[in-house]
Amino acid sequence: MRIITTVAAAAIAAAAAFPAAAEGYKLAITDVEGLEQLQTDWGPFKAALEAATGESFEFFPVSSRTAAAEALRAERVDFVITGPAEYVVINKMTNATTVVGLSRPDYFCGWVVMADSDVVRPADLKGMKVAMDDIGSTSGHLCPSQLLADYGVDPLDGVETVHTTRAVAHEALKRGDIAAIGINYTSWVNGIRNKDESVPPGSFRVIARSGDLPNDLLVAGAHVDPAVVEEIRTEMVGNKQTIIEAILSVGGDNDKYRGMDLVAIDDKAYDPVRAMYATIGHPEFSEFVGE
C-alpha cells in the first residue's frame, strides 16, 4: 500500500480545492499602467495571493478602465482590482462579481473652503466657482457632487465646476480663484495640506463630509467558476495579514491602504455609488464618464 505523507496529502487537497487554470489566472489593476509598474506596485501582493491560494496569477496590463472591462467581457482577464465607481460600471458591462473588499481607512470626501470664507454650508456655494478632481473619480467627483445634491445644490448647473488636480485646486483655493474644493479628504490632508508650509492647516475649513465610501475591491469575471471565487475569497480573508503586509510593503500610492482590512463584500454595498452616477446625470452607469 502506498503511503501518502501529510505534506503531499495537503498539496493534493489544495489542488483539488482550486480547479486549475491552464496558464494561471490573469490579474489586472485599473489604475496602474504597464507591466513594469504592475510588478513594482503589486508584485508582492501577487506573490502573497499565490501563496495563500495555491494558484498561479499573471499580470494583465490595461491602459484604461474601459480596457479592463472589455478584457473581462472577452474573458482575456479573470480578476481585476478596481475602485467603487469603476466596479459599478464594470459590473453593469460584464456581470463581474465581488470577491474581496480592500478597505481604506477614512475614505470619504469633503468640501473645503478657506477659514475666513463667508461660505459656511454647501448651500452657500450656489452660483459659485468650485473645483473637483478628475471626472469619474469616486472620492473626487461623484462623492462631492452627491454631497452638494444632499444639501440642495444641483452639481450640474447649481455651481460652476472646474475639474483639475488636487494640487492645482489647492493653490486656486488659496488665491481665491475658486470658492471651495471637493476632494478625497484624507488624501488631500496627507498629501497636500500638511505639506504646504506657506499656510497653517487652520487656514482651511471643512463645510461638509460624506460618510465612508465603499471599498476598493477585487472582482472576478462572470466566466470564473463560482467555486473558485468562493475559495479565493476564503483564503484571502484567512490569510489577510500576510496579504495586507505585501500590499503595504511597496509604499507609494499603496500607502492609501495603510490600516486596511480585507473583508467579504456584497454588491449592494455599491448602491450609493450607483445613486451618485444618477446625480451627475448618468443614471444608467453603463459607461465610464470622463474616458
Side-chain angles (χ1 to χ4, degrees):
M1 178 181 295
R2 185 162 58 95
I3 298 175
I4 300 178
T5 65
T6 302
V7 173
I12 292 170
F18 289 89
E23 298 177 357
Y25 293 106
K26 301 294 193 300
L27 170 68
I29 291 92
T30 55
D31 61 351
V32 181
E33 291 191 26
L35 181 59
E36 183 177 352
Q37 199 62 48
L38 279 170
Q39 292 170 335
T40 298
D41 294 351
W42 290 91
F45 163 79
K46 184 174 81 73
L49 179 62
E50 290 175 332
T53 63
E55 273 298 336
S56 173
F57 291 85
E58 178 183 342
F59 284 130
F60 186 94
V62 291
S63 58
S64 67
R65 299 168 295 179
T66 299
E70 292 297 341
L72 272 173
R73 185 153 55 187
E75 301 184 12
R76 291 185 292 115
V77 69
D78 306 298
F79 295 92
V80 177
I81 291 177
T82 193
E86 292 81 4
Y87 164 70
V88 165
V89 177
I90 287 173
N91 170 259
K92 183 68 174 288
M93 293 176 65
T94 73
N95 289 320
T97 58
T98 62
V99 182
V100 170
L102 285 69
S103 70
R104 292 170 57 176
D106 303 318
Y107 181 37
F108 57 88
C109 75
W111 277 100
V112 177
V113 300
M114 298 305 294
D116 59 0
S117 171
D118 292 335
V119 174
V120 296
R121 59 183 65 86
D124 297 333
L125 292 172
K126 287 183 179 179
M128 293 186 176
K129 188 174 184 178
V130 302
M132 295 189 220
D133 211 330
D134 295 336
I135 296 175
S137 165
T138 307
S139 58
H141 176 209
L142 272 66
C143 179
S145 296
Q146 186 64 54
L147 261 184
L148 287 178
D150 290 345
Y151 282 89
V153 181
D154 187 337
L156 299 180
D157 58 25
V159 291
E160 179 185 352
T161 303
V162 294
H163 291 277
T164 186
T165 65
R166 289 187 210 116
V168 170
H170 177 87
E171 293 301 322
L173 180 63
K174 289 195 299 180
R175 289 193 306 268
D177 295 341
I178 55 176
I181 54 176
I183 37 79
N184 177 320
Y185 181 75
T186 301
S187 293
W188 171 71
V189 167
N190 295 335
I192 298 175
R193 191 200 70 179
N194 289 354
K195 296 178 181 178
D196 184 353
E197 297 181 354
S198 68
V199 294
S203 297
F204 305 95
R205 178 161 45 85
V206 179
I207 59 171
R209 294 180 176 87
S210 73
D212 282 358
L213 291 163
N215 301 321
D216 287 356
L217 69 166
L218 175 69
V219 305
H223 62 282
V224 180
D225 187 336
V228 171
V229 174
E230 180 58 35
E231 204 61 47
I232 288 177
R233 178 186 297 116
T234 298
E235 294 302 331
M236 287 186 70
V237 173
N239 294 275
K240 66 171 64 178
Q241 195 56 46
T242 300
I243 294 174
I244 289 171
E245 288 174 359
I247 292 172
L248 298 178
S249 67
V250 300
D253 189 54
N254 285 10
D255 278 342
K256 67 187 179 185
Y257 293 115
R258 201 157 296 281
M260 70 179 291
D261 196 6
L262 290 181
V263 296
I265 194 78
D266 189 79
D267 174 80
K268 66 182 179 182
Y270 296 85
D271 285 346
V273 180
R274 294 181 172 98
M276 292 176 190
Y277 270 104
T279 295
I280 65 167
H282 292 268
E284 296 301 320
F285 44 87
S286 57
E287 62 182 6
F288 296 105
V289 295
E291 186 172 292

